[in-house]
Amino acid sequence: MSWKTFPKIELHLHLEGAADPAFIRGLAQEKSVDIGGIFDEEGAYKYSGFGEFLQVYEAATQALQSPEDFQRLTQSVLENLAEHNVVYAETFVSPDFCGGRDLGAWREYLHAMQEAHVEGVTLKGIVTCIRHFGPDKARETALCAAETAGDWVVGFGMGGAEDAGKAGDFAYAFDMAREAGLRLTSHAGEWGGAQSVWDTINDLRIERIGHGVHAIEDPKLVDYLAETGLVLEVNPGSNIALGVYPSLEQHPIAKLRDAGVKVTVSTDDPPFFHTDMTQEFEQLERVFGWGVDDFHALNATALDAAFCDADTKEALAKTLEN
């Protein structure tokens, strides 16, 4: 079966990280921004290891300088999602890269992003603070999120380097977002081990974990996740590309799912990791033998865990049935 036409839901997609290299290169040339060092001879993003990946990621965002740039970026991302029949996606977007966390500027960027549209794809935003930028900037990001919570901004999260500070340092920001009615997720357990997942659950009181794969190292944590239904946003292709696991055969997604943990599948930063949702499905079929029933089940889990409103979920459920 061709998985390209199979409807999909994606919950873990960084907007800036979904920018094709050619798109970023074109923007940089328009603005005379010199970021040539971040591309290899084939024109792909060039990095070695997670630390360098973060540097290249942040360098690429230098080409994104205006609300119009983000409108064009969002349009490009929507078109890529449509190509792989992703009918619903939630994208992480950072006010850090949209006007430097200034609320007035953030509103302008947000409006521009919402102008992008592709028939058949619903996109919602998760405002995301950057952990290695520190707790004070996270509070400013949370204020941007809280002041623009609504139909498009449906969640608040945290990305960046997991070893920067403690999860509890960011509790104020997450409390602010929670009080504004936003749903909460955070990266953990990608690099930090099972304890980072525990800390994030206990200190930030989130309902989804970005990555979370190292939870497999702690049987008590696996049991807790299965019992509570806390959802993992798993990104297998990303994990392999960055060396979190050496191969998909050694990736724990199937073991976690078999243990009753609710897992979803996403691409994270697809052009950086040379992946897309079709390829993710193809690889899971190749390695674990997953088929139509498994991917319907993944979609059901993702739809249930999505941060959008009930009416949107109802409409998506009908799309997924067709």
Side-chain angles (χ1 to χ4, degrees):
M1 175 175 178
S2 169
W3 294 115
K4 193 166 188 177
T5 58
F6 192 88
K8 306 169 188 74
I9 292 179
E10 181 165 21
L11 299 181
H12 190 111
L13 177 69
H14 294 267
L15 188 68
E16 305 91 358
D20 287 326
F23 174 82
I24 290 295
R25 207 162 37 245
L27 269 186
Q29 288 170 355
E30 285 177 26
K31 300 170 188 302
S32 300
V33 176
D34 182 14
I35 55 171
I38 71 172
F39 304 110
D40 65 19
E41 292 175 358
E42 280 77 44
Y45 293 117
K46 179 179 67 175
Y47 61 89
S48 176
F50 186 68
E52 202 170 295
F53 158 73
L54 288 178
Q55 292 173 2
V56 170
Y57 185 109
E58 288 167 22
T61 65
Q62 293 173 26
L64 296 159
Q65 298 180 353
S66 69
E68 184 197 3
D69 293 343
F70 269 82
Q71 191 274 332
R72 290 166 64 186
L73 167 63
T74 308
Q75 187 67 32
S76 171
V77 170
L78 283 167
E79 289 166 4
N80 288 339
L81 290 169
E83 183 181 345
H84 297 281
N85 203 17
V86 177
V87 297
Y88 176 84
E90 291 179 358
T91 188
F92 299 114
V93 60
S94 302
D96 298 87
F97 307 130
C98 299
R101 299 176 306 282
D102 175 81
L103 180 57
W106 165 244
R107 288 187 192 277
E108 291 182 23
Y109 277 86
L110 185 59
H111 178 75
M113 285 182 270
Q114 290 178 264
E115 290 290 300
H117 176 75
V118 170
E119 195 65 35
V121 184
T122 300
L123 187 70
K124 300 293 184 182
I126 297 175
V127 174
T128 308
C129 62
I130 311 296
R131 185 163 178 157
H132 54 275
F133 289 178
D136 290 341
K137 290 180 179 177
R139 290 185 184 199
E140 295 176 15
T141 299
L143 178 63
C144 287
E147 290 296 324
T148 55
D151 178 58
W152 199 83
V153 173
V154 293
F156 181 75
M158 179 163 65
E162 285 180 29
D163 61 351
K166 300 175 183 177
D169 297 340
F170 300 87
Y172 185 97
F174 276 78
D175 287 346
M176 193 189 309
R178 183 184 298 105
E179 287 169 13
L182 290 166
R183 311 280 292 277
L184 305 177
T185 180
S186 179
H187 288 51
E190 179 185 17
W191 300 100
Q195 188 58 48
S196 74
V197 179
W198 278 123
D199 292 344
T200 300
I201 291 169
N202 292 330
D203 295 344
L204 303 182
R205 294 186 290 140
I206 40 72
E207 58 187 287
R208 288 185 350 213
I209 290 280
H211 297 286
V213 285
H214 282 301
I216 197 69
E217 298 163 3
D218 184 344
K220 288 185 179 178
L221 178 55
V222 172
D223 289 344
Y224 176 86
L225 293 173
E227 288 166 11
T228 59
L230 197 148
V231 171
L232 301 186
E233 307 155 3
V234 184
N235 307 273
S238 164
N239 295 157
I240 307 310
L242 286 171
V244 179
Y245 293 97
S247 68
L248 188 56
E249 285 80 1
Q250 292 169 270
H251 194 282
I253 186 170
K255 290 180 180 176
L256 287 163
R257 186 168 174 251
D258 290 345
V261 178
K262 291 185 174 180
V263 301
T264 61
V265 171
S266 297
T267 59
D268 201 7
D269 306 281
F272 281 88
F273 308 135
H274 306 286
T275 190
D276 52 55
M277 283 294 282
T278 301
Q279 185 173 308
E280 295 290 337
F281 276 37
E282 288 171 348
Q283 293 301 311
L284 290 166
E285 178 189 39
R286 178 183 66 82
V287 174
F288 301 119
W290 290 4
V292 171
D293 290 345
D294 298 287
F295 293 123
H296 277 309
L298 278 180
N299 273 341
T301 297
L303 181 59
D304 186 54
F307 289 164
C308 58
D309 60 67
D311 288 345
T312 302
K313 288 190 179 187
E314 187 177 343
L316 287 167
K318 292 175 181 174
T319 301
L320 294 172
E321 289 169 6
N322 296 335

